[in-house]
């Protein structure tokens, strides 16, 4: 078997969206698993859709998620350059070779003539105009013009394109590793432009020529390219490369979070699906929700989530490091059915990864928040706080929102909890508890708990009945991490002061 050489071939037309990152990831996994090569090629032949900054965005996104490029833009390699605009001169001879063999032809139709044809078809109520086997003989091209006329026009430099001469009546077969045999009748395919009048190749020609020259073994890309694949099969055959044609795998669509319809760029913009926000496109997208990176997703959690959008290992295991994915990934286990993009699942993965992170990797997030507020940073306290918070958070910034009460006394109390739980019994226990605490010289979670038990027993009140009121007094909230450990972290003096403040501030509603 030839070595695996796969490529990710984005067009720099905007932010790299999440579907693109998945495509890159699957290519990368196959390359790493087989000891093959992962190539990054930038397909920028459509100058009208070029967005400055998009290429840098793609490179940064891949680097952030941990996908390393072996060969390609930003790295170099034996097939450089890897930016199609820089390979411009290379494509034309192939197009001309196709013309010489009768597989393609020069077409001189002006935009006005093409438009007139479209109008004629519309007026006649027939199907929409397609430049192809049914119509090409009525158009202005090297098939209908006398050879001398064609030669003259070319010599004069008349504007023209080169179109593929698609066979009139043929079933084109394509074996897709995910979908099996895919068949398309050639009448469905129009005579696609291969070379544009500006001298640039179109996507189809450049893509096939480069995949061949770069010795690509597998083309793994989104389902939206499946309709183009039969055309590419024809091109491989006409260029004499059918024997070394890459294998195709068209990945399942990503569906909207509710499962209805395709996940669109618009969904992505609105819900913040790019890796990080764009500040270089139009003002509308500047408003966009944060990207994954800014929202606080860990790259390893995002990768794990993306791997499961279309693939599964066939076991119950859900948490996979990148190395484990490299081992477990199989192209054959990618499904055909669309994969629902469920952001809740992405959050679940993030929670799992945060939970299992060494505390030391998360303390910086909390320290930054403390520093920003001019609060003292006591290493041991920060580490302990992260320790009790990390299994409760979805994003690193939740460390502060969930755990600020460990560092600053509440200035307000959750009113609904107060209304339900702040009663005469609670006040009696908390007052007695405050006195008992005042006589302690050190507060540990165990002594906090023992003292509370003693206090409630002496007053014949069940601990469970007043626990939420105590939490309210200490934290201002009705829920949070282990209260006894929280009190130990806050420290005896802090807790006593908080209880006193709550007793002075909160009133028992009768
Ligand atoms: N340039 C195409 C894109 O932007 C690549 C399609 C392919 O992988 O063949 O998605």
């Amino acid at each position: 078997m030839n070595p695996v050489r796969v490529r990710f071939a984005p067009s720099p037309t905007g932010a790299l969206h999440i579907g693109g990152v998945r495509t890159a990831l699957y290519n990368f996994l196959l390359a790493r698993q087989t000891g093959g090569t992962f190539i990054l090629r930038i397909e920028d032949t459509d100058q009208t859709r070029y967005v400055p900054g998009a290429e840098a965005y793609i490179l940064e996104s891949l680097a952030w998620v941990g996908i390393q490029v072996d060969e390609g833009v930003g790295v170099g390699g034996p097939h450089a350059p890897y930016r199609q605009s820089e390979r411009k001169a290379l494509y034309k001879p192939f197009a001309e070779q196709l013309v010489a063999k009768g597989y393609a032809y020069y077409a001189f139709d002006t935009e006005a003539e093409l438009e007139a044809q479209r109008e004629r078809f519309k007026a006649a109520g027939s199907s929409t105009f397609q430049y192809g086997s049914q119509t090409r003989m009525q158009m202005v091209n090297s098939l209908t013009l006398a050879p001398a006329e064609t030669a003259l026009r070319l010599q004069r430099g008349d504007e023209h394109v080169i179109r593929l001469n698609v066979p009139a009546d043929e079933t084109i077969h394509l074996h897709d590793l995910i979908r099996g045999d895919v068949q398309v009748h050639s009448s469905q395919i129009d005579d696609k432009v291969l070379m544009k009048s500006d001298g640039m190749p179109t996507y189809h020609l450049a893509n096939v020529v480069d995949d061949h020259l770069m010795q690509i073994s597998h083309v793994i890309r989104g389902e939206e390219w499946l309709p183009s694949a039969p055309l590419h099969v024809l091109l491989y055959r006409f260029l004499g490369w059918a024997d070394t044609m890459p294998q195709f795998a068209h990945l399942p669509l990503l569906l909207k979070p509710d499962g209805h319809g395709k996940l669109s760029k618009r969904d992505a913009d609105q819900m913040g699906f790019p890796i990080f926000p764009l500040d270089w496109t139009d003002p509308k997208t500047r408003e966009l929700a944060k990207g994954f990176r800014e929202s606080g997703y860990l790259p390893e959690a995002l990768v794990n989530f993306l791997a499961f959008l279309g693939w599964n290992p066939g076991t119950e295991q859900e948490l996979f490091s990148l190395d484990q994915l490299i081992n477990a990934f199989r192209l054959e286990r990618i499904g055909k059915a669309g994969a629902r993009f469920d952001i809740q699942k992405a959050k679940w993965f993030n929670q799992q990864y945060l939970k299992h992170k060494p505390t030391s990797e998360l303390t910086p997030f909390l320290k930054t928040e403390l520093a920003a507020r001019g609060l003292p940073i006591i290493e041991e306290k920060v580490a302990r706080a992260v320790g009790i918070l990390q299994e409760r958070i979805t994003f690193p910034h939740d460390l502060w929102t969930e755990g600020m009460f460990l560092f600053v006394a509440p200035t307000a109390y959750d009113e609904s909890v107060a209304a339900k739980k702040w009663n005469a019994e609670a006040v009696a226990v908390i007052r007695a508890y405050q006195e008992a605490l005042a006589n302690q010289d050190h507060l540990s979670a165990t002594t906090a708990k023992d003292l509370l038990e003693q206090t409630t027993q002496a007053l014949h009140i069940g601990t469970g009945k007043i626990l939420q009121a105590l939490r309210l007094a200490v934290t201002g909230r009705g829920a949070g991490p282990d209260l006894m450990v929280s009190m130990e972290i806050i420290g005896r003096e802090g807790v006593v002061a908080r209880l006193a403040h709550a007793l002075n501030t909160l009133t028992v509603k009768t």
Side-chain angles (χ1 to χ4, degrees), residues 177-285:
L177 293 170
I178 297 170
R179 288 147 212 280
D181 187 44
V182 177
Q183 301 183 15
V184 178
H185 194 263
S186 60
S187 61
Q188 310 279 81
I189 307 172
D190 60 342
D191 287 356
K192 283 271 180 306
V193 172
L194 302 177
M195 288 295 297
K196 293 180 279 191
S197 55
D198 63 1
M200 272 290 194
T202 56
Y203 154 73
H204 302 290
L205 181 69
N207 186 270
V208 166
V209 166
D210 282 346
D211 281 348
H212 173 74
L213 296 179
M214 295 178 184
Q215 297 168 330
I216 297 302
S217 63
H218 297 72
V219 167
I220 304 171
R221 61 186 172 194
E223 181 174 302
E224 66 273 26
W225 299 103
L226 187 59
S228 302
L231 183 84
H232 297 174
V233 170
L234 284 180
L235 275 170
Y236 280 104
R237 195 202 303 160
F238 293 163
L239 286 161
W241 302 334
D243 290 350
T244 54
M245 186 171 78
Q247 291 192 273
F248 290 103
H250 289 90
L251 305 177
L253 280 182
L254 294 185
L255 304 178
K256 284 183 195 294
D258 65 7
H260 295 297
K262 183 177 161 219
L263 188 75
S264 63
K265 282 221 156 99
R266 209 180 130 78
D267 296 323
D269 280 349
Q270 285 175 349
M271 297 187 248
F273 293 161
I275 294 294
F276 49 93
L278 308 172
D279 50 11
W280 36 264
T281 49
D282 64 284
K284 274 197 279 147
T285 44

Side-chain angles (χ1 to χ4, degrees), residues 352-418:
Q352 300 307 310
Y353 279 84
L354 284 168
K355 204 189 262 186
H356 296 117
K357 269 224 173 281
T359 304
S360 58
E361 283 184 37
L362 294 177
T363 48
F365 291 101
L366 199 47
K367 286 186 196 165
T368 308
E369 300 286 352
L370 291 167
R373 289 164 180 84
L375 293 166
I377 295 172
I378 302 154
E379 292 290 339
E380 199 211 325
K381 183 168 175 173
V382 172
R384 297 215 55 200
V386 171
I388 59 163
L389 292 164
Q390 77 181 105
E391 58 180 64
R392 305 178 53 85
I393 56 171
T394 304
F395 298 112
H397 55 251
D398 297 336
L399 284 172
W400 174 247
T401 47
E402 285 279 311
M404 63 170 87
F405 75 86
L406 294 169
F407 301 91
V408 281
T411 49
Y413 299 93
D414 184 320
E415 281 176 24
S416 66
V417 179

Side-chain angles (χ1 to χ4, degrees), residues 405 408-411 413 422 425-440 443 447-449 451-452 455 466-477 483-484 486-488 490-507:
F405 75 86
V408 281
T411 49
Y413 299 93
W422 194 260
E425 286 184 329
V427 169
V429 171
I430 289 169
R431 185 161 287 133
Y433 188 49
Q434 183 208 351
E435 278 161 21
L437 283 177
N439 294 327
Q440 289 285 316
L443 185 65
T447 53
K449 186 156 186 274
L451 269 186
L452 183 63
T455 311
I466 58 84
L467 207 55
Q468 259 204 304
L470 179 60
R471 180 184 289 283
L472 183 73
V474 176
T475 73
R477 300 175 186 183
L483 183 58
M484 301 305 140
S486 298
M487 290 200 284
E488 180 180 322
I490 293 165
R492 190 191 64 94
E493 275 175 39
V495 173
V496 170
R498 288 178 189 208
L499 297 184
H501 187 259
L503 288 167
N504 281 335
T505 315
L506 289 164
T507 49

